[in-house]
Amino acid sequence: MRNRNAATVVREAIRRDHRPITRLALDAGVSHSMVSRFVSGKRGVTIETMDRLLGTLGLELRPLRRSA
């Protein structure tokens, strides 16, 4: 399995959603420009914003449990 960070996973989920960025931003309660710049990799987002985007996509952020 590839080692991917949370931002990469969220960007991939947004691209798979095929919803216009404007609609996704509206549904998540964040600005269109913020989502657009995040998807293009030009900026990061707070954990709260990431959680809002994931919730809008029907996903959730949760900690990964690693075995010792």
Side-chain angles (χ1 to χ4, degrees), residues 18-49:
H18 299 294
R19 190 178 336 189
I21 295 292
T22 306
R23 182 77 239 173
L24 177 68
L26 184 63
D27 292 347
V30 297
S31 75
H32 166 269
S33 63
M34 188 281 308
V35 176
S36 180
R37 291 187 347 236
F38 172 68
V39 170
S40 69
K42 294 180 181 174
R43 71 161 290 166
V45 294
T46 64
I47 196 76
E48 292 82 9
T49 299

Side-chain angles (χ1 to χ4, degrees), residues 7-18:
T8 299
V9 172
V10 175
R11 285 182 183 106
E12 290 171 358
I14 290 170
R15 288 183 185 113
R16 281 193 310 271
D17 187 65
H18 299 294

